[in-house]
Amino acid sequence: MRRLLLVVWLGLLTLGLALLLGLLVGPGWAAIALLPLALMTWGWVMLGRNWRSWRYAERADDLLISRGVLWREETVVPYGRMQLVEVTSGPVERHFGLASVQLHTAAAATDATIPGLDPAEAERLRDRLTELGEARSAGL
């Protein structure tokens, strides 16, 4: 999905820039429009690496979310701290059959999101995390 968005937006930018430069400055300058194509090629590779870096694990007392290629980021959310677990899916995500699970805690800085899940898996994970969160917070 992200690769398609990359191709669409940078493809439109390339065409617009080539036409603008070709008409206003001259056909030789239209070659500058190849720069967004180079960016598209680099972005295609990086999006694949980024997508493969996302991981999550349901552990005994918490949920571990790991992501990142160059800068690894790990988020650990204890089940008892979860206040809201929601499944979101925008129009482009729905078209591709994807959904995201987002966790909300009392800490405003918590960025616990798991993108690119199958909708059935996202709903299963939401139900499981809600169940575990209720069980863990009952003892507080």
Side-chain angles (χ1 to χ4, degrees):
M1 175 192 76
R2 290 183 179 172
R3 282 180 169 171
L4 175 67
L5 291 173
L6 175 78
V7 169
V8 167
W9 288 111
L10 286 180
L12 289 174
L13 177 68
T14 300
L15 286 175
L17 189 61
L19 286 173
L20 187 67
L21 289 174
L23 292 174
L24 294 178
V25 182
W29 287 93
I32 292 177
L34 294 176
L35 292 176
L37 287 178
L39 182 63
M40 187 187 318
T41 304
W42 177 78
W44 185 275
V45 173
M46 295 312 293
L47 283 173
R49 290 183 66 197
N50 187 324
W51 177 76
R52 286 188 302 274
S53 75
W54 280 86
R55 307 265 191 276
Y56 73 94
E58 300 172 54
R59 303 191 307 184
D61 296 321
D62 53 31
L63 178 73
L64 173 69
I65 302 170
S66 176
R67 65 190 170 276
V69 177
L70 296 176
W71 287 274
R72 299 282 305 158
E73 230 178 285
E74 289 188 355
T75 304
V76 178
V77 182
Y79 295 131
R81 302 283 181 174
M82 291 181 199
Q83 292 182 334
L84 174 68
V85 181
E86 64 181 347
V87 175
T88 59
S89 185
V92 178
E93 287 176 314
R94 280 194 307 273
H95 177 73
F96 285 97
L98 300 173
S100 298
V101 173
Q102 187 169 9
L103 307 169
H104 298 277
T105 64
T110 302
D111 179 25
T113 303
I114 305 171
L117 296 173
D118 180 73
E121 171 63 12
E123 290 178 16
R124 184 209 63 83
L125 185 60
R126 178 200 57 208
D127 294 342
R128 173 92 172 123
L129 294 176
T130 302
E131 175 186 310
L132 288 168
E134 289 173 356
R136 297 293 195 276
S137 66
L140 294 177

